[in-house]
Amino acid sequence: DVILIFDEFEKIYCEHGKQEQLLTLLDGVFQARKLIILTVNDGWRVNQHMLNRPGRVFYNIEYDCLDQGFVSEY
């Protein structure tokens, strides 16, 4: 079993061509069971070919529990 974490994915793979190169990894070419976690700050910068397709980025969890006032105060 494998867990891969790409933190700030859209910044590291900022060009859509670079993101598309990872599609074979996400498409299940490798036989190992895997969980790939992508963290992003700007979801609109993630290539649309990677979203809502089985074997690719299928789940999207948006964390919005902190409001601007709390962040500013902190």
Side-chain angles (χ1 to χ4, degrees):
D1 296 343
V2 176
I3 297 175
L4 295 172
I5 300 173
F6 292 89
D7 189 26
E8 297 187 0
F9 175 79
E10 83 284 7
K11 293 177 184 174
I12 297 169
Y13 297 96
C14 56
E15 298 174 18
H16 286 290
K18 289 183 179 180
Q19 291 182 18
E20 289 179 3
Q21 291 175 351
L22 292 175
L23 291 179
T24 55
L25 175 68
L26 298 171
D27 276 340
V29 171
F30 301 103
Q31 297 299 318
R33 292 186 330 172
K34 62 191 178 304
L35 172 63
I36 300 173
I37 299 172
L38 309 176
T39 66
V40 296
N41 294 320
D42 297 319
W44 58 271
R45 292 176 58 188
V46 175
N47 188 318
Q48 293 301 310
H49 291 110
M50 301 183 78
L51 303 175
N52 289 328
R53 300 177 86 171
R56 295 184 183 174
V57 180
F58 194 65
Y59 298 104
N60 178 18
I61 300 170
E62 185 172 328
Y63 183 78
D64 59 358
C65 293
L66 302 177
D67 61 10
Q68 185 62 38
F70 175 81
V71 173
S72 296
E73 182 181 326
Y74 181 75

